[in-house]
Amino acid sequence: MRDTETAEGLRTHGYKLTPQRLAVARVLLEASQHLTAAEVLGRGQEIYPQLGLTTVYRTLELLTELGFVRRVHLEKGCHAYAQAREREGHHLVCQVCHRVADFPCTGLGELIEETAKRTGFAVEFHLLELVGLCPACQ
Amino acid sequence: MRDTETAEGLRTHGYKLTPQRLAVARVLLEASQHLTAAEVLGRGQEIYPQLGLTTVYRTLELLTELGFVRRVHLEKGCHAYAQAREREGHHLVCQVCHRVADFPCTGLGELIEETAKRTGFAVEFHLLELVGLCPACQ
DNA sequence: CTGCGTGCAAAAGCTTTGCATTCAT
DNA sequence: ATGAATGCAAAGCTTTTGCACGCAG
């Protein structure tokens, strides 16, 4: 169970373990898609009905800081969150249905390393988005 | 001069050539950075003082549709626009000063092609963002 | 001339903040 | 017991919409 990992993270950083925080964390954990704050609220309330939107925002910010959550950028409306499975974001975004799929990506590492070396940039993480049409929408 | 190109595009699509539209187009053309709508307004007013924010939004939307402008996604605040120089977006984003630099990127094409083939996705354009610390902020 | 494009003001979202209350520790 | 966390309501932003006027074609 990965719940424990987030809980652990909160505890070791001195944050309190509240049902609200656990609910938000679990929602993202179980989501296969990126979620907006409002969506997180909806799903979170299925777990903990009293959950409020303010807390969702605060928790998302907190979890992002701790590295458990990552902000994701979409064409429209822009603001979505997803669990940070890895320090990488590889997304296939469909322009029609707006579905987002992850894909494994090899060979990108060297390319990034090389760029980092050439520019003097210390790269912490990267985001590769391929935008186009998914098989179903073509 | 590239102004002409945008003007041409507007004309051929049946849109009127107004000083407001030309001002917005020129601002993006001359910007080396991504700009928010408010920033576009500010710079646009140096060219055409009566320019209004509403028009900026409408023009950005129009130019995006025509493919002259591309929405860019940043960590915070998210909404920025840039001229669509190429069908590619390669950005180095600094976490501290939020400056964005473009970088030339080679070898990515094959990688994308391969992914497209494997997933059945028709990739129209891509966005590669490297987030980290720029030389000045390290 | 004609209707597209503009600007203002108002509306609509989304996100953040202030503050009293509640709760994890 | 005590300060951190929460939820509500209100404020703040950014973006969109309605409408009368003005200008490009």
Side-chain angles (χ1 to χ4, degrees):
Chain A
M1 195 95 189
R2 183 97 184 265
D3 262 353
T4 328
E5 204 176 305
T6 312
E8 200 58 38
L10 285 170
R11 201 181 292 114
T12 57
H13 285 264
Y15 293 107
K16 291 184 178 168
L17 276 181
T18 65
Q20 290 92 332
R21 284 176 176 167
L22 294 176
V24 169
R26 205 164 124 221
V27 164
L28 288 168
L29 193 64
E30 293 176 354
S32 57
Q33 290 282 321
H34 314 284
L35 301 175
T36 63
E39 288 167 339
V40 172
L41 177 68
R43 300 196 188 188
Q45 288 180 331
E46 289 172 17
I47 300 172
Y48 189 79
Q50 305 97 300
L51 181 64
L53 186 54
T54 306
T55 301
V56 168
Y57 276 111
R58 288 195 275 231
T59 303
L60 286 173
E61 191 187 341
L62 178 60
L63 293 180
T64 302
E65 240 165 57
L66 296 183
F68 289 109
V69 168
R70 166 132 287 123
R71 267 194 145 169
V72 172
H73 313 295
L74 307 175
E75 272 303 311
K76 268 280 182 191
C78 250
H79 305 281
Y81 298 82
Q83 204 211 350
R85 291 161 218 280
E86 339 88 17
R87 292 299 275 171
E88 291 155 16
H90 298 142
H91 309 293
L92 280 159
V93 184
C94 178
Q95 291 180 306
V96 176
C97 66
H98 297 109
R99 293 223 133 233
V100 181
D102 283 345
F103 67 92
C105 199
T106 52
L108 193 55
E110 332 159 359
L111 198 150
I112 290 172
E113 232 170 82
E114 192 196 314
T115 303
K117 204 173 297 172
R118 198 173 54 226
T119 59
F121 224 85
V123 176
E124 297 243 321
F125 95 101
H126 65 267
L127 170 72
L128 175 58
E129 266 186 25
L130 305 187
V131 181
L133 299 172
C134 73
C137 290
Q138 283 173 34
Chain B
M1 194 97 190
R2 184 97 183 265
D3 262 354
T4 327
E5 205 176 305
T6 313
E8 201 57 40
L10 284 170
R11 203 182 290 115
T12 56
H13 285 265
Y15 293 106
K16 290 182 178 172
L17 277 182
T18 66
Q20 290 92 332
R21 285 176 176 166
L22 293 176
V24 169
R26 204 164 124 219
V27 164
L28 288 169
L29 193 64
E30 292 174 357
S32 58
Q33 288 283 322
H34 313 283
L35 302 175
T36 63
E39 288 166 340
V40 172
L41 177 68
R43 301 196 186 188
Q45 288 179 330
E46 290 172 16
I47 300 173
Y48 188 80
Q50 306 96 300
L51 182 63
L53 187 53
T54 307
T55 300
V56 168
Y57 277 111
R58 288 195 275 231
T59 303
L60 286 174
E61 192 187 339
L62 179 60
L63 294 180
T64 302
E65 241 165 57
L66 296 183
F68 290 108
V69 168
R70 164 133 290 121
R71 267 194 143 169
V72 171
H73 313 295
L74 307 174
E75 273 302 311
K76 269 277 181 194
C78 249
H79 305 283
Y81 299 82
Q83 205 212 350
R85 290 161 219 279
E86 340 87 16
R87 294 297 276 171
E88 291 156 18
H90 297 144
H91 310 293
L92 281 159
V93 185
C94 178
Q95 292 180 308
V96 175
C97 65
H98 297 111
R99 292 224 134 232
V100 180
D102 284 344
F103 66 93
C105 198
T106 52
L108 192 55
E110 333 161 356
L111 199 150
I112 290 173
E113 232 169 81
E114 193 195 315
T115 303
K117 204 173 295 172
R118 199 173 52 226
T119 58
F121 223 86
V123 177
E124 297 243 321
F125 94 102
H126 66 267
L127 170 72
L128 176 58
E129 266 188 24
L130 304 187
V131 181
L133 297 172
C134 73
C137 291
Q138 283 172 37

